[in-house]
Amino acid sequence: MRLSGRAGAAVALLLGAWLISPTVMPLYDGPGAPDQPYRYVVPPPGYTTKTPAPTTASASIVVRNGVNTAAFANSGESGPQVSVYIPAGSLQAPPGATSIQLSAAPSAPKAPLPTDGTIVSNVYTISATAAGGDVEIIGKGDNQTPTLQMRAPSSQQPGPTFETFDGKKWTSTETIRVGQDIYQTFAPKLGVWALVQLSTRGSGGSGIGGAQLAMLVLGIAILVIVGIIVVIRLARSRAPTETPAKRTPAKRASPRR
Amino acid sequence: MTSVALDRRRPVAGVPLLLAFFAAAVAVRVAMTGPPGFGASPWPGVLFGVVLAAAAVAVGTSTRVGTRVFVAGALATVAIVLPALMFSSVRASLPVAWFPGWMAATALVAPAEEAFLRGALYDAVARRWNADAAIVVAALAFGFMHVPFYGWHALPLDTAVGVVLGVARLASGTWVAPAIAHTAADAVGWWML
């Protein structure tokens, strides 16, 4: 295949991969950026780190033709503990409204709590208002449904799952991991959301730590072994090649006559 | 074109050895990354880059710079970044003050990854089979490298990005072109978080 053919195939493959990948995929990887310690409204028992209060994510969204333009609302922590993405056309504004106020406000978990696990993040209440009234989500499908991201307090795996509260019970939603400690879900409705560590997945405590230690030890051992092999081969390849001993040409026996 | 080729007559490491080394380096990085409560520390990533760079230097790979290399790097950057801007958006949620330090670390780690994957590993696979196999193997290694950090759903996209970087390697004849594209794409990616 010619180079241009390979390049075309590679670009087609990339476009196809984007089409099947979840929205807001992390493109950046690099060495990673350090997060601030998680800020709780009410820290869980044993969390001794002193932090400022968590912040509210808020944004004023411009309305055009009765619907919203695309907008983000990120909370102020580094990295943001909550981030809401509202695609264009997903919110229906009341007649005459020129802007929509979007916010995701933190609060402490309170009863009733999820029955299938433990809330590990703050509880965030997401709301959108315009002209004093609530705004409804009208967007359907992956392209017009709001996206919610939350940072978990820990990068330990297995990670938590998004759950939303409808006033009576908590319901889990499909959750994907989009960063080391960042999780994403579609939010077809606003309201109350939190990250829940499901009890069936285990606490991720000492087991994960043991697995990480084993991986670390095994990984270092392999690195050392491969390093030694490469060094030996390098030394051999650089060693002067054996030259055949000089031999004095044997005297030709004088031909017999 | 300036050439600093490090080709050797006999390879000091074959494909299995390089893949084992890479898997071990990824495992160590994953095991070291992120104490609970603080997300990702940059140091495991930097150490990972140093280890890969050292391996690439030890094994040896072709290092060249020149117009063709920069053009290939720039085209690969456009190919990677343009769909990202089409399918995603610029969030700029991270503090701008962090960018210089993060970028400095990325400018070490991304080229180191390329020197190993599209340099040493690519050369070994191409020597054993051919360039297409080298593109695919390096891209798969690149894709699987990201799975521990982002999950399996990241595999198709990161592997496809790896294929684009591999074509840039093939077009330019050196890992420097994909290193340019990788670093530039990471820099753009910062603003998309």
Side-chain angles (χ1 to χ4, degrees):
Chain A
M1 192 190 289
R2 293 168 64 92
L3 183 60
S4 56
R6 288 189 179 98
V11 170
L13 191 67
L14 186 59
L15 290 173
W18 268 107
L19 285 173
I20 63 168
S21 292
T23 54
V24 203
M25 277 290 299
L27 178 71
Y28 114 125
D29 45 60
D35 290 330
Q36 289 178 338
Y38 196 84
R39 300 184 190 180
Y40 289 99
V41 176
V42 177
Y47 191 78
T48 54
T49 308
K50 299 289 181 195
T51 65
T55 62
T56 296
S58 59
S60 182
I61 307 174
V62 175
V63 172
R64 286 205 192 108
N65 302 320
V67 294
N68 69 291
T69 54
F72 283 106
N74 298 323
S75 59
E77 302 85 11
S78 299
Q81 291 183 181
V82 63
S83 177
V84 187
Y85 172 56
I86 307 289
S90 66
L91 299 179
Q92 176 76 61
T98 56
S99 68
I100 295 170
Q101 304 307 313
L102 174 71
S103 77
S107 61
K110 60 184 180 185
L113 297 170
T115 55
D116 56 351
T118 306
I119 293 177
V120 292
S121 65
N122 294 316
V123 172
Y124 283 90
T125 303
I126 303 167
S127 62
T129 58
D134 286 342
V135 174
E136 285 188 18
I137 296 177
I138 57 169
K140 304 286 182 195
D142 289 358
N143 291 332
Q144 279 201 321
T145 303
T147 306
L148 175 62
Q149 285 186 0
M150 280 194 202
R151 172 158 69 88
S154 160
S155 56
Q156 283 186 341
Q157 295 298 305
T161 301
F162 272 102
E163 294 209 7
T164 181
F165 184 62
D166 63 4
K168 292 177 182 172
K169 62 180 173 59
W170 289 86
T171 309
S172 63
T173 60
E174 188 177 350
T175 304
I176 57 170
R177 189 186 184 196
V178 294
Q180 299 211 21
D181 51 5
I182 302 170
Y183 298 85
Q184 176 178 303
T185 190
F186 285 117
K189 68 179 189 65
L190 304 175
V192 178
W193 291 82
L195 286 174
V196 175
Q197 187 70 51
L198 298 180
S199 50
T200 52
R201 289 188 179 183
S203 63
S206 58
I208 292 294
Q212 281 184 328
L213 183 64
M215 200 157 66
L216 185 65
V217 171
L218 186 66
I220 290 174
I222 293 173
L223 287 180
V224 170
I225 291 168
V226 174
I228 290 170
I229 292 171
V230 169
V231 167
I232 291 172
R233 287 185 180 178
L234 272 174
R236 281 181 181 170
S237 69
R238 284 175 179 166
T241 52
E242 198 175 317
T243 52
K246 281 185 180 177
R247 285 187 292 179
T248 49
K251 285 183 180 176
R252 278 185 186 173
S254 52
R256 286 184 181 174
R257 293 188 180 175
Chain B
M1 180 179 283
T2 309
S3 177
V4 196
L6 294 171
D7 292 335
R8 298 178 201 288
R9 270 172 280 174
R10 287 186 63 193
V12 293
V15 177
L17 204 60
L18 289 173
L19 286 176
F21 182 86
F22 185 68
V26 172
V28 170
R29 179 185 179 181
V30 170
M32 289 177 65
T33 296
F38 291 86
S41 162
W43 295 110
V46 172
L47 179 65
F48 179 69
V50 170
V51 166
L52 291 189
V57 169
V59 172
T61 184
S62 176
T63 304
R64 299 193 195 97
V65 289
T67 308
R68 186 184 178 88
V69 174
F70 283 109
V71 169
L75 288 175
T77 303
V78 171
I80 294 169
V81 168
L82 212 55
L85 292 173
M86 282 165 53
F87 290 104
S88 195
S89 338
V90 175
R91 287 190 175 212
S93 66
L94 296 173
V96 177
W98 285 4
F99 184 73
W102 176 86
M103 194 63 237
T106 300
L108 163 73
V109 177
E113 288 177 1
E114 293 307 319
F116 186 87
L117 290 175
R118 250 68 64 174
L121 181 62
Y122 182 102
D123 290 347
V125 178
R127 210 161 29 224
R128 179 90 179 260
W129 292 290
N130 54 46
D132 289 324
I135 290 173
V136 171
V137 170
L140 284 172
F142 185 73
F144 276 102
M145 178 181 82
H146 291 92
V147 169
F149 299 105
Y150 305 126
W152 289 101
H153 59 269
L155 184 63
L157 182 59
D158 285 324
T159 304
V161 169
V163 170
V164 173
L165 294 172
V167 172
R169 160 66 178 83
L170 178 67
S172 64
T174 173
W175 60 270
V176 178
I180 291 170
H182 189 162
T183 308
D186 277 357
V188 174
W190 166 278
W191 301 99
M192 297 178 71
L193 278 182

